[in-house]
Each structure stands twice: as structure tokens, then as C-alpha cells.
Amino acid sequence: MRGHRAAAPRLPRVRVRTTAIGAFVVLAAMVPAAVSASGTQEADVTLPYVCRLPSKELPATLRVTADFPTSARAGKAFAPTDVTTTVELPAEAVADLARGRAAGVRAVTRLGVGITQGESAAEATWRGTARPAALPASGPLTLTATGEVPSVTARVDGTLAFSAGALDLDLALDTPDGTAADPAALTVGCSPAEDAPKRGLLATVPIEPDPTAPPTARASPAPSAPAPGTGTPGAPQSPQSPDGQEGRDGQGGGEDQEGRAPTVTERVPRGAATRRPDAPPCRYDERHPSTSASLNAYITGYTNVRKLAGASLLPLSCALIEQGPTDIELFPDYSGGYLTQHSQGTLWYRGKPQTPPFQATFLTFGFVPTKATMVLEQTGPMTMDGKGETSFVTLFTKMETRIRVPLVLRVTALEVNGAPLDVGAGCRTRSPLRSEEPEPAKFPGDHLVLTGRSSHQPPALPVGYLLSSGGPLTGEVTIPAFTHCGGNGENLDRLLTASVSGSGNYVKQTQGQTCAVQVFNPDQCTKDLQPLVIPVPER
């Protein structure tokens, strides 16, 4: 969307205040819960793919198995069950991954699935998590991932077609001795091969009419599977063709304008629907009063500690956020605009900008059991900067959000082989945790950088991370050397630095749905205006 606009004159910016980054896009009403079908059909499809490894593109194979209903009714949601995605990467890809001394891999899969009904289309993301696997000494690498998938609601009768599209593999690479692989983590993008049979078709589901619908709800034409390629089936294309003429992209036309496109609804992660009794307080008070732009949310996740060949659970923590207005810089043809939003926040635990204390247990130097109690302390502003663009023609919006926060890691207690060691009152890293900063001139100093991305094609709900609705954030961090560690004349700085400090520590954090404290929503906030949704950490 940017290519033909780069040299255009700058147009006025429009500023709006909203609790959703794409507030100018109308969201669909909540879809009913998925219902069971009278029968199921088993899909088992194997497709050729092409994956982009660090060195070059290589062929791969994707097998998708799932149970679909034999039929469904318009207006009633359903979801495929027992979904499994199995990716087989060739031996050459294994050798590519092993060049950085990697010996094992942990994988998360994201499969784009196009859902078409006549001229109407929608897009879903099927996410899965694979068991940790060792890189084989010879032969291919097979990764089998499972997970729950979004539900789908057809608005009219006809036939829904489900087709596999772009596949992303988020890989965390492990080494035998716990040192950082090179790279420590990467995302491998894969696309259906040109000779993919039936254009990646997985299954079709006949849709019966809704007897309560008005007689004007006509059946959709027969479905057509999207063409394979680098994009996800059903994903919106540019609202204009290269010659500047408005084109049909599978989301436009009379059918969709009448609201006939199927609706995709993300499923709430297990454990995230209700507030846990052990969740720390997360509310505004007299010391930290709320405003009309105030949000609060819970965050949690994991971070690798490469030197210790393990991961530490980041505790469930409270974030208080002041959401900034959304600026919209219109395209020259007024068909859409660039979006920017700047917000600020702070961690909040018992009146201090920090996480709750948390513990991690590792084998130091590979054999000595060590348990540490730690706190992450915020030493400066937390900023959230979102950038993206939207089309007023297709209503498709994509966003990238970077969260920056300076955090010092403080150790409050330490046990080595069961014996407590006095770390003193000031044991901490010499400086804040440090990530590679893509804009160092604009954002100087040491800080953690986490990135989240999202896409949104109404009437489906947004997919990925948005500040207001949460989602996954990832990054990589260097742990600095430790200082002021030790009491009673002991100096533990070198012990902690040698066993913990270093680069290449992958971080994956999950933010829950925010609570807009001055706009009470019982699905998002408790009665005392704390976040209702508790996120589940994901590896």
C-alpha cells in the first residue's frame, strides 16, 4: 500500500481517541458460541510448500488433519476440531538450522486459512504448539503442532471452502551446552507451492439456510478456493490495481457490502476467561488516579536464560497504561491512511513500578541446582508505539507495535545446592536489560524492546497483538553483568555474571485484554475495575 505513495505530498493528520487502534472500523457483534454438528467429516490433506530458510528457499511438506462438520447452519458458529499441522523440513534445512550450533528446536506454527463463500472471503489463523524436538543427525525434521482454532459463522446458506495458505514457523533454537545459538530464534515463512493440489483446499462445509432469516438472504454462489502464493488465502489485496483502478479483492463487491462474508472469531485461551484468585491487584487508586484514556492489563510470559539452558516464567504482572490518541495521515487518494499511536505505561505492584517477586530454578554450570528470587524494576518510562495503515475500501488494517521499557533485574534471595547465600540488599544488574534498538537515535539508552503485530479484516476480530486487546509480544534481550551482590564480606558478582549474564535470551510475553476503567465492560473488567482476562504464558 505504500509503494505508489512514497513521493506524495504530506496530507493533514486526523487525531482520534479510542480504546481500539482501528476504531474507525466498525467491529461485528459478538458471534454465538460454537455448536456441535450432527456429523463430522475427516480432512487429511498433504500439500507441497516452499520455506524461506536463512540460506535459501527449500521445499517442505505440510500435512493438515482436522474434523469438520458435515454441514452447518447459517448464523451458527462452528469450529474444526482435533486440528493437527505437521511440517516436514528436508535434511538441507536441518543442516541450515544446525550451523549456529543448534541441537534442538521448539516450534510454534501459524497457518493462514482462507475461508471463502462465493465472492465473499475471510481469513483465520490456526495456531499450534509442537513438542520440543532434537535436530536429527540425518534426514528430515518433522514438527507436529496442535492447538485450538477460531470458530466460523456463515451468514448465508451456500458452501464454505477452507484452504491452507501462508505458514509461519516461530522457532526457538537450543544448544547442548546452553550457550546462544546463532540465531537463537527465527521465524521461517512458508508458502504453498505452485503445484499445490486444488489450490490448498482442506475441506468444504455445506451451509443450510437459517429458518429465522428474512427471505432476502439469498444463497451465495459456489465457492472458489483462493490461488496459492505467498499471501494467505482470503487476505485482502491492495485496494487499487497498479494502474490506479479499484480492483476486486475477494472482500469487496455487492455480496460483502451487504454483510454476507463469513465471520471468524478467535477463541479465548484456556484459563483466560475468568480472573484467578491469586492474580495480584491491578487497579488505579488515589496515588495513581485514572483518566479517560486509562487502561489496565495483566502480562506474563517466559524468557530464556541461554547460559543456564532453561527458561524463566515471568510473573503475572499489572500494567497501567495511558493510551494516546490515534493519528491518521490520509493517503493522497483518500482511500486509507497511515496510523500512529504513542502510549505510555508502568508496571505496578504494591505501589511500586515493578513486577511481583518470582523464582527460577536452574542447574548452574550444568550440575549445581540454583534457585533465585528476583524482581524486575522499571527505571524509566514504558512507551508503546504503534504504526500501521488501513484501507477505507477493504477496511483491512495492519499494525506493528513496539513496547520499550528499561528494566533492572534485582536478585533478592539465592540458594545454591540448597544452601542460602546472602546476596545483600542491592544485588542487581549494572544497567537495564538491553535489546537491539531499531531506532537508536530516537530511543537512546538501554531498554527491553518487544514487538507485536496484528491484522484486521472486519467483520472478523483482529488477529495478533493490539494494545487494547492484547496478544503475543516477542523480543531478544541481553542480561548485563551483576553488581553489589553479596553480604558479610562475600562478593557474588562474578558468580552471577558468569552463570546468568549474556546475550541471545529470547522473550515471549503475552498481554491480556485491557480494561478501560472509565468505560465499564463486564466482559473485560471486574466490578472493582480490574482486568477480568488473565493471560496464559506461551512458550
Side-chain angles (χ1 to χ4, degrees):
M1 294 172 65
R2 290 181 181 270
H4 67 286
R5 301 185 176 95
R10 192 176 185 86
L11 290 183
R13 303 176 74 90
V14 180
R15 173 167 288 197
V16 295
R17 173 76 71 182
T18 171
T19 59
I21 192 70
F24 49 85
V25 179
V26 179
L27 291 176
M30 294 300 293
V31 179
V35 297
S36 58
S38 58
T40 58
Q41 54 173 318
E42 297 180 0
D44 189 341
V45 179
T46 301
L47 300 168
Y49 267 66
V50 177
C51 294
R52 293 172 290 282
L53 275 295
S55 64
K56 61 181 176 180
E57 292 188 347
L58 292 171
T61 301
L62 172 68
R63 180 187 178 191
V64 180
T65 60
D67 289 344
F68 290 83
T70 53
S71 64
R73 177 172 291 179
K76 297 295 184 181
F78 69 90
T81 58
D82 295 331
V83 176
T84 301
T85 57
T86 302
V87 184
E88 184 179 285
L89 299 174
E92 194 173 354
V94 177
D96 205 351
L97 296 175
R99 285 195 181 98
R101 298 182 59 250
V105 61
R106 288 167 287 119
V108 174
T109 62
R110 290 176 284 133
L111 175 64
V113 176
I115 306 168
T116 58
Q117 189 179 29
E119 294 296 320
S120 302
E123 178 186 357
T125 300
W126 288 6
R127 295 179 173 84
T129 301
R131 292 180 177 272
L135 295 182
S138 61
L141 170 65
T142 300
L143 301 170
T144 300
T146 58
E148 295 183 341
V149 302
S151 61
V152 179
T153 305
R155 300 191 179 193
V156 295
D157 59 308
T159 303
L160 288 183
F162 292 76
S163 301
L167 171 70
D168 285 328
L169 304 174
D170 296 323
L171 305 179
L173 303 175
D174 300 315
T175 59
D177 57 5
T179 59
D182 185 18
L186 76 156
T187 296
V188 175
C190 306
S191 304
E194 293 184 357
D195 58 348
K198 297 182 180 179
R199 297 182 176 179
L201 182 67
L202 300 176
T204 58
V205 178
I207 304 299
E208 300 173 354
D210 180 359
T212 65
T216 54
R218 297 175 288 106
S220 293
S224 58
T230 56
T232 302
Q237 306 299 318
S238 172
Q240 290 191 344
S241 59
D243 61 2
Q245 298 299 314
E246 183 173 322
R248 295 182 62 85
D249 55 13
Q251 296 293 333
E255 297 270 42
D256 286 356
Q257 291 172 6
E258 295 173 12
R260 301 166 69 88
T263 300
V264 176
T265 302
E266 290 285 342
R267 305 186 71 172
V268 178
R270 291 179 180 175
T274 58
R275 179 179 168 81
R276 290 207 315 255
D278 61 336
C282 189
R283 62 168 66 90
Y284 290 83
D285 54 27
E286 293 181 357
R287 292 182 56 193
H288 208 298
S290 65
T291 70
S292 60
S294 294
L295 309 173
N296 50 358
Y298 283 111
I299 54 175
T300 186
Y302 286 96
T303 179
N304 287 353
V305 183
R306 302 301 303 177
K307 280 189 174 181
L308 298 177
S312 174
L313 175 66
L314 298 175
L316 187 65
S317 303
C318 170
L320 304 182
I321 302 166
E322 287 300 307
Q323 187 182 37
T326 300
D327 289 333
I328 306 174
E329 182 180 349
L330 299 177
F331 296 155
D333 57 6
Y334 295 94
S335 65
Y338 300 116
L339 310 175
T340 57
Q341 184 188 50
H342 176 76
S343 304
Q344 291 192 329
T346 182
L347 298 174
W348 200 244
Y349 178 70
R350 295 185 176 179
K352 297 181 179 180
Q354 65 178 49
T355 68
F358 60 101
Q359 291 185 337
T361 301
F362 300 98
L363 291 178
T364 306
F365 307 120
F367 65 92
V368 181
T370 303
K371 181 171 71 174
T373 303
M374 299 168 284
V375 171
L376 287 169
E377 297 180 336
Q378 183 177 334
T379 60
M382 177 194 301
T383 59
M384 299 96 159
D385 289 280
K387 296 181 180 180
E389 53 189 73
T390 188
S391 167
F392 299 153
V393 179
T394 65
L395 303 185
F396 179 70
T397 303
K398 61 180 180 181
M399 289 292 300
E400 179 179 86
T401 302
R402 283 203 172 96
I403 295 181
R404 298 170 170 91
V405 54
L407 296 171
V408 166
L409 178 62
R410 185 162 63 89
V411 180
T412 61
L414 187 66
E415 288 184 12
V416 178
N417 204 20
L421 296 180
D422 186 1
V423 296
C427 182
R428 59 178 177 80
T429 52
R430 290 182 180 273
S431 57
L433 307 183
R434 182 176 68 256
S435 298
E436 183 176 348
E437 171 55 61
E439 301 178 82
K442 187 175 181 181
F443 299 96
D446 293 339
H447 50 262
L448 170 67
V449 180
L450 296 174
T451 302
R453 297 177 177 86
S454 69
S455 61
H456 183 200
Q457 179 61 67
L461 296 177
V463 175
Y465 177 84
L466 284 174
L467 178 62
S468 60
S469 57
L473 294 151
T474 58
E476 191 171 291
V477 66
T478 295
I479 302 174
F482 284 80
T483 186
H484 297 103
C485 298
N488 299 321
E490 268 190 308
N491 189 334
L492 303 178
D493 293 353
R494 296 178 65 183
L495 172 65
L496 287 170
T497 298
S499 57
V500 176
S501 301
S503 60
N505 302 292
Y506 177 70
V507 181
K508 185 171 185 180
Q509 185 171 289
T510 303
Q511 177 198 309
Q513 166 73 50
T514 59
C515 165
V517 296
Q518 294 197 1
V519 186
F520 176 71
N521 183 334
D523 294 329
Q524 301 172 359
C525 309
T526 62
K527 290 183 179 180
D528 59 348
L529 300 179
Q530 298 189 72
L532 178 64
V533 177
I534 307 297
V536 177
E538 299 179 1
R539 292 185 182 271

